Amino acid sequence: MSDIEKKSIDPATVKMLKKAQADGCETIFDRADAMKPCPIGAEGSCCKTCVMGPCRVPAPKKKGEEKSRRVGLCGATAETISARNFARMVAAGTAAHSDHARGVTEVFLATAKGKIPGFQIKDEQKLLQLAMDLGVEIGNRSVQEIAIDVGQKALSEFGRQEGEILLAKRAPLKRQEIWRNLGIMPRGIDREVVELLHRTCMGVDQEYKSLLHSAARCALADGWGGSMISTELQDVLFGTPVPVYGKMNLGVLKKDEVNLVIHGHEPLLPEIIVGVLQDPEIQKAARSVGAKGINLTGMCCSANEVLMRHGIPVGGNFLQQELAIVTGVVDAMVVDVQCEMQSLAQVAKCYHTKLITTSPRAKIEGAMHIEFDEHRAPDVAKKILMEAIENFKNRKPNADIPSETTDTVVGFSHETINYLLGGMFRASYRPLNDNIINGRIRGIAGVVGCNNARVTHDDPNFTLIKELIKNDVIVLVTGCSAMAAGKGGLLTPEAARQYAGEGLASVCEAVGIPPVLHMGACVDNSRILMAATAVVKDGGLGDDISDLPAAGAALEWMSEKALAIGHYFVASGIFTVFGVTWPTTGSEEVTKFLFEEFENSLKGKWGFEPDPMKAAKLMIEHIDKKRKALGIDKARERVLFDMAKRRELDAA
Amino acid sequence: MAEYCTEEKVAFNGKRVEILGPTFEEGKPGTPMNWRNKLRNREEMLAYLKTGERYWFNDEWFGSEKRKTKA
Ligand code: SF4
Ligand code: SF4
């Protein structure tokens, strides 16, 4: 196997890496070889909170080396420095999700007021759901009146100064009590981010336990606040996801059509582009340059958004963004915010691709900027499409599209799972709970997060997911890990028979669902929280999320957003395993606190295991521990015995 | 839709039984499974919230939390 072949388990990625090399185009994979991570920063032992530093307090090579020597100029201990770095990452991740949410809320409110052409309230039922949660009167009021109040209430959640964020009351009652008792119930979204940044300034909070609990409060403001608001309002605006068929991988690009790749996170512009695509003027323009039509393809979380609402194909995940351009057929790539590598501008130069930034918050040197203004959204969408169309003729001869694509069925919002399990008149999580109790399903896992150029692309996520379903653990996926599952063929109902354990497969076949359920983009991890809460509330599996036979993982994480997600999973009671690297290894105490002692207070804890098979083992052991605590471990054995018995009978 | 097909299986008590085979249609779905369109008006939407989404929206039924304070 050549070095390039070891970079990814995805053949399309490997093919494009070889093409990039032949074309003399550098990618993140090359840079990952050339530049190794700084070991002191990687373990969280570098402080540059003030300019007397950076102070470096690396973990001693030999055990027992004097602790007092490991302090910065101001005396900040390795523990403080490590916890402070961790907390800052959580604050940044929360800020990213929440600022996305604020943008969505503003567009939502303007839509409700009828100020934005092209947007409308598509899902009235979801609006009513949210109105009830936010305490907005429904009565005989019009959709518009309700939506304005919902938008205003949602917007005030960001600047709320006291009390409790409103959506936290969706959590199980016991969970809410845990947060209140620990004093970490979030007050307002922005407030928690700002306070955490303050606490982590030079000379403020210098007690690592206090810092990590505050980080939990901030993360909760993400999961049950910012991220949840953005998921909910996007559903109201664009529709709650329902099962839809779609394709994944670079093979979805088309040689004879204008290819526009939409990359980033906010679904606002992509939704409008989807609408404008049918405009006869646009179609005519495409034909006039010799193209058969326009092919829209998603990348990263924007892809998840349009895939699950429209079945628009997915080009790939985070590490494939440069490689989409390397095909030589991407006429324009339009980006908004988050996870867009600056190198895209350089890669685009190697080919003919126009890189177009659209967010006033995210410009890239060397890219064209067409600002997304929601008040003239259809015009902006048309302008972008025209740029792509005009560029079609500039394609160079060295175009090559890998043939790989995979079928997927996606769109499993927690509402849809509820419906699929019971139907319109008896929608329920009961069948799921029953099958967990009787042991056909061993437990639930959320496998989320990014790609990371430090590990073989898609391998840890795919291997972990496959191992979990083989062991009868149903897996919920979001973000880039969802695409690893999709490209590997795990997102179809047929995958149940092929890959899942006998128990899980029998349930999936009966309901007609894949063993791995695609729940959306990164902000949609809030859907996992809701599904877990529904399972708790349905009964029979304890009365808190921490009682469930469930675990989370992000084995290829790279973004600060992933750390915020992991921390709100943990603070919601979920054992969560991360891979690649762990940012507090510089401090044994801090790591021990997160990996062990957190369980005493928050009933959830962190774990670190880069090896996917070992990570699966850790998660399954945790699931089995919870099954035992619930007294349902015996049921599982009995079911397995029944199966064996059946097979015996079969053979007789 | 094609004719229903049946399969023969062995039941838990060892007897051979004939059961309904797969009922899904061949091929790939062309349109999303838009179950939410079945909710035709506000009354039905609110009723569904009370029943389908009872975990959060029904006063009388709280599953594991039914004996505790209202969520
Ligand atoms: S805050 Fe303290 S440890 Fe950090 S850089 Fe300044 S002096 Fe060094
Ligand atoms: S999962 Fe990670 S890499 Fe992928 S889009 Fe989300 S934050 Fe970015």
Side-chain angles (χ1 to χ4, degrees):
Chain A
M1 196 187 271
S2 73
D3 278 354
I4 286 190
E5 275 154 0
K6 289 186 201 140
K7 303 277 183 206
S8 175
I9 58 163
D10 168 36
T13 298
V14 171
K15 274 181 208 163
M16 286 306 99
L17 281 174
K18 287 181 179 165
K19 180 173 187 299
Q21 195 179 50
D23 294 346
C25 178
E26 188 190 83
T27 68
I28 185 172
F29 293 86
D30 301 309
R31 290 186 292 273
D33 282 340
M35 184 168 60
K36 295 295 164 208
C38 161
I40 300 171
E43 63 171 48
S45 296
C46 165
C47 180
K48 50 191 194 68
T49 295
C50 85
V51 294
M52 292 191 286
C55 296
R56 300 187 297 173
V57 291
K61 295 225 164 53
K62 281 190 224 117
K63 281 234 172 231
E65 208 172 296
E66 242 199 290
K67 192 177 158 188
S68 59
R69 280 172 48 202
R70 294 185 61 205
V71 293
L73 250 65
C74 65
T77 61
E79 282 60 54
T80 297
I81 291 172
S82 176
R84 225 158 36 187
N85 286 333
F86 181 93
R88 286 214 156 192
M89 289 179 85
V90 170
T94 303
H97 286 143
S98 302
D99 206 38
H100 165 169
R102 189 196 328 275
V104 172
T105 311
E106 283 167 349
V107 168
F108 177 88
L109 194 52
T111 304
K113 290 179 180 166
K115 288 187 183 162
I116 301 191
F119 288 104
Q120 63 200 37
I121 306 291
K122 274 213 186 119
D123 195 330
E124 183 182 342
Q125 202 255 7
K126 187 85 186 225
L127 174 72
L128 301 179
Q129 195 170 325
L130 204 49
M132 285 167 79
D133 273 327
L134 297 176
V136 169
E137 193 202 324
I138 296 175
N140 287 325
R141 299 169 80 209
S142 69
V143 165
Q144 190 184 15
E145 284 171 316
I146 298 171
I148 291 174
D149 282 0
V150 164
Q152 270 157 353
K153 280 250 184 179
L155 200 56
S156 60
E157 288 295 281
F158 295 90
R160 173 194 279 280
Q161 298 304 324
E162 51 194 33
E164 298 178 351
I165 55 168
L166 291 173
L167 296 180
K169 71 170 187 289
R170 287 175 159 189
L173 297 174
K174 193 169 162 193
R175 183 61 17 201
Q176 295 179 41
E177 277 318 301
I178 290 173
W179 295 336
R180 282 187 200 108
N181 291 340
L182 289 170
I184 59 164
M185 177 67 96
R187 294 153 292 187
I189 299 163
D190 293 352
R191 173 158 193 175
E192 302 311 344
V193 175
V194 170
E195 184 176 304
L196 193 54
L197 286 174
H198 174 199
R199 278 173 184 259
T200 52
C201 270
M202 191 270 156
V204 189
D205 196 354
Q206 288 156 107
E207 205 276 299
Y208 73 87
K209 293 183 184 177
S210 160
L211 279 163
L212 296 171
H213 273 131
S214 307
R217 191 179 207 175
C218 180
L220 289 170
D222 179 355
W224 298 87
S227 281
M228 200 170 270
I229 288 176
S230 91
T231 295
E232 300 300 279
L233 294 183
Q234 284 169 190
D235 281 359
V236 180
L237 280 176
F238 310 125
T240 303
V242 297
V244 61
Y245 164 80
K247 280 178 176 294
M248 278 186 190
N249 217 344
L250 292 169
V252 302
L253 293 166
K254 294 191 178 149
K255 201 159 199 162
D256 50 7
E257 294 191 20
V258 172
N259 288 301
L260 175 63
V261 174
I262 39 183
H263 170 25
H265 282 76
E266 297 178 343
L268 307 174
L269 178 63
E271 283 285 335
I272 290 291
I273 293 179
V274 172
V276 167
L277 211 55
Q278 300 318 322
D279 188 323
E281 193 192 324
I282 295 286
Q283 290 296 331
K284 199 172 140 205
R287 282 192 300 273
S288 74
V289 296
K292 283 199 177 141
I294 302 169
N295 180 37
L296 214 56
T297 300
M299 187 62 64
C300 275
C301 279
S302 291
N304 282 323
E305 301 278 5
V306 285
L307 168 72
M308 65 180 175
R309 295 210 176 82
H310 303 282
I312 300 282
V314 172
N317 48 10
F318 175 72
L319 282 180
Q320 290 177 289
Q321 55 185 289
E322 294 171 321
L323 303 178
I325 297 178
V326 170
T327 61
V329 297
V330 173
D331 302 298
M333 179 179 273
V334 57
V335 301
D336 52 28
V337 291
Q338 300 169 20
C339 300
E340 291 128 13
M341 292 196 262
Q342 184 164 0
S343 63
L344 287 175
Q346 208 46 46
V347 179
K349 266 192 203 147
C350 297
Y351 301 89
H352 79 301
T353 307
K354 278 186 190 168
L355 179 67
I356 306 172
T357 54
T358 54
S359 168
R361 289 166 292 181
K363 297 186 179 176
I364 298 178
E365 220 173 291
M368 172 188 282
H369 187 74
I370 303 178
E371 196 146 311
F372 174 61
D373 172 0
E374 59 267 25
H375 297 99
R376 36 176 214 93
D379 291 341
V380 175
K382 274 186 200 164
K383 191 163 184 320
I384 289 167
L385 281 164
M386 288 310 290
E387 289 291 345
I389 292 168
E390 277 164 24
N391 204 24
F392 180 76
K393 61 178 184 304
N394 298 327
R395 281 194 195 171
K396 295 179 181 166
N398 62 346
D400 185 13
I401 308 172
S403 57
E404 283 79 7
T405 65
T406 330
D407 292 338
T408 63
V409 178
V410 303
F412 295 92
S413 53
H414 71 86
E415 291 91 341
T416 286
I417 297 174
N418 188 33
Y419 166 79
L420 288 175
L421 289 173
M424 189 55 82
F425 298 107
R426 51 195 164 88
S428 177
Y429 274 77
R430 195 68 237 156
L432 177 61
N433 285 27
D434 283 344
N435 280 296
I436 292 174
I437 293 166
N438 70 26
R440 281 196 191 93
I441 296 179
R442 193 169 188 165
I444 309 170
V447 179
V448 308
C450 326
N451 293 150
N452 187 311
R454 300 294 180 195
V455 294
T456 305
H457 170 233
D458 282 348
D459 183 32
N461 280 334
F462 181 73
T463 310
L464 171 70
I465 296 169
K466 222 169 70 171
E467 185 62 14
L468 289 170
I469 59 173
K470 192 174 120 197
N471 283 283
D472 294 314
V473 176
I474 190 165
V475 179
L476 313 176
V477 289
T478 60
C480 288
S481 70
M483 295 171 198
K487 285 181 287 175
L490 302 180
L491 297 184
T492 60
E494 294 78 24
R497 188 166 283 197
Q498 201 179 342
Y499 297 104
E502 203 168 344
L504 175 61
S506 68
V507 177
C508 291
E509 284 180 354
V511 185
I513 53 171
V516 182
L517 300 179
H518 182 298
M519 294 189 86
C522 309
V523 289
D524 295 330
N525 284 313
S526 60
R527 297 191 204 274
I528 297 183
L529 297 178
M530 290 296 281
T533 303
V535 173
V536 170
K537 286 181 181 264
D538 196 86
L541 291 170
D543 51 9
D544 178 37
I545 295 175
S546 64
D547 295 329
L548 299 178
L555 293 195
E556 292 180 53
W557 77 289
M558 64 86 197
S559 167
E560 290 161 318
K561 292 180 292 171
L563 203 68
I565 293 166
H567 213 46
Y568 73 64
F569 268 29
V570 169
S572 299
I574 303 170
F575 171 52
T576 306
V577 185
F578 269 33
V580 192
T581 182
W582 182 252
T584 68
T585 44
S587 164
E588 219 175 291
E589 274 174 61
V590 168
T591 307
K592 192 162 176 270
F593 186 66
L594 291 167
F595 286 24
E596 293 171 26
E597 290 161 40
F598 244 34
E599 202 172 22
N600 302 330
S601 56
L602 280 161
K603 314 260 177 256
K605 62 177 179 180
W606 279 98
F608 169 62
E609 180 50 68
D611 179 325
M613 295 302 277
K614 288 187 189 158
K617 191 163 171 276
L618 278 181
M619 293 166 79
I620 293 168
E621 277 169 5
H622 179 82
I623 284 170
D624 286 348
K625 187 178 93 183
K626 293 292 173 182
R627 293 188 67 89
K628 193 159 187 217
L630 289 165
I632 55 173
D633 51 331
K634 299 286 182 303
R636 182 174 164 75
E637 279 156 28
R638 196 167 61 235
V639 168
L640 283 176
F641 176 75
D642 281 349
M643 291 287 200
K645 190 114 185 149
R646 256 199 260 179
R647 257 182 256 117
E648 267 175 44
L649 288 167
D650 242 336
Chain B
M1 168 120 196
E3 290 275 294
Y4 284 130
C5 61
T6 56
E7 288 174 4
E8 205 178 73
K9 293 230 168 175
V10 180
F12 65 94
N13 55 8
K15 288 194 179 146
R16 293 197 170 272
V17 288
E18 208 178 348
I19 60 156
L20 183 63
T23 53
F24 52 81
E25 289 172 51
E26 290 286 316
K28 294 167 187 173
T31 48
M33 180 193 177
N34 230 328
W35 63 272
R36 294 177 74 78
N37 287 350
K38 292 183 188 168
L39 300 164
R40 288 162 304 185
N41 52 46
R42 184 169 294 182
E43 210 179 311
E44 286 185 7
M45 289 174 192
L46 289 172
Y48 183 81
L49 286 178
K50 288 236 170 216
T51 54
E53 299 289 342
R54 62 190 169 282
Y55 308 116
W56 294 280
F57 302 114
N58 195 318
D59 295 344
E60 283 135 41
W61 201 93
F62 310 112
S64 69
E65 295 168 343
K66 64 181 141 195
R67 282 182 300 276
K68 298 176 190 162
T69 357
K70 184 175 170 259

